[in-house]
Amino acid sequence: AGVWEEEIKDVLAEGPDDFIRKPFREEDVLNALREHLGIKYRYAQDEREGQTVAPTDSIRATVKPDSFDELPPELINEIAEAALSLDVDRLDGLVLEVRGVNPVVADTMSRLLKQYEFEALLEALQVREEGA
């Protein structure tokens, strides 16, 4: 960690305003733009509760507790392993398998993966496992 901090200091000394590590999350980029450029964002209203939600929050909200109920346990385990290891290529392949069982869940998984929301995917799997 110390080496990374020194490298970041060296990079920032060259003139950039900020540094975001990969894999970056959309909200990190948006927050940096807001901080350095003074950009203001308008978010959609959550129709169910009338609350303002960020784009990543609305994606997480699409994952329902029973979303993964139709998937075989072996496939769920593969998804969990790939998500834990942040293996995007493997997860992309697994989305194709899920699409054959439940296209709606596959679309949700795809949106989560595009936003690097591995945690939300794992949370959905945990909810399903606890409910089983």
Side-chain angles (χ1 to χ4, degrees), residues 26 29-35 38-43 52:
E26 178 183 14
V29 174
L30 295 174
N31 287 336
L33 290 171
R34 177 182 10 253
E35 180 180 336
I39 293 174
K40 294 182 181 181
Y41 301 102
R42 290 177 32 187
Y43 295 106
T52 302

Side-chain angles (χ1 to χ4, degrees), residues 7-69:
E7 287 181 9
I8 291 172
K9 287 179 186 176
D10 291 343
V11 169
L12 292 175
E14 295 295 321
D17 293 320
D18 211 339
F19 183 91
I20 300 173
R21 288 190 178 121
K22 287 184 179 180
F24 57 85
R25 296 182 351 201
E26 178 183 14
E27 68 185 80
D28 295 335
V29 174
L30 295 174
N31 287 336
L33 290 171
R34 177 182 10 253
E35 180 180 336
H36 299 292
L37 300 177
I39 293 174
K40 294 182 181 181
Y41 301 102
R42 290 177 32 187
Y43 295 106
Q45 292 289 87
D46 186 340
E47 294 176 11
R48 292 167 293 161
E49 299 173 14
Q51 297 176 349
T52 302
V53 293
T56 53
D57 292 339
S58 63
I59 291 170
R60 282 175 173 246
T62 64
V63 181
K64 305 295 181 229
D66 60 349
S67 295
F68 293 87
D69 282 351

Side-chain angles (χ1 to χ4, degrees), residues 56-121:
T56 53
D57 292 339
S58 63
I59 291 170
R60 282 175 173 246
T62 64
V63 181
K64 305 295 181 229
D66 60 349
S67 295
F68 293 87
D69 282 351
E70 295 179 30
L71 304 182
E74 302 82 26
L75 183 54
I76 290 172
N77 289 337
E78 285 186 62
I79 294 167
E81 288 174 16
L84 283 169
S85 63
L86 308 178
D87 188 340
V88 176
D89 292 332
R90 186 171 171 205
L91 285 164
D92 284 339
L94 292 169
V95 167
L96 295 176
E97 287 186 47
V98 171
R99 190 166 304 288
V101 178
N102 188 325
V104 174
V105 171
D107 290 342
T108 299
M109 281 182 62
S110 184
R111 284 194 308 273
L112 289 169
L113 294 176
K114 285 179 184 174
Q115 297 297 321
Y116 298 101
E117 287 287 345
F118 300 103
E119 186 177 314
L121 182 56

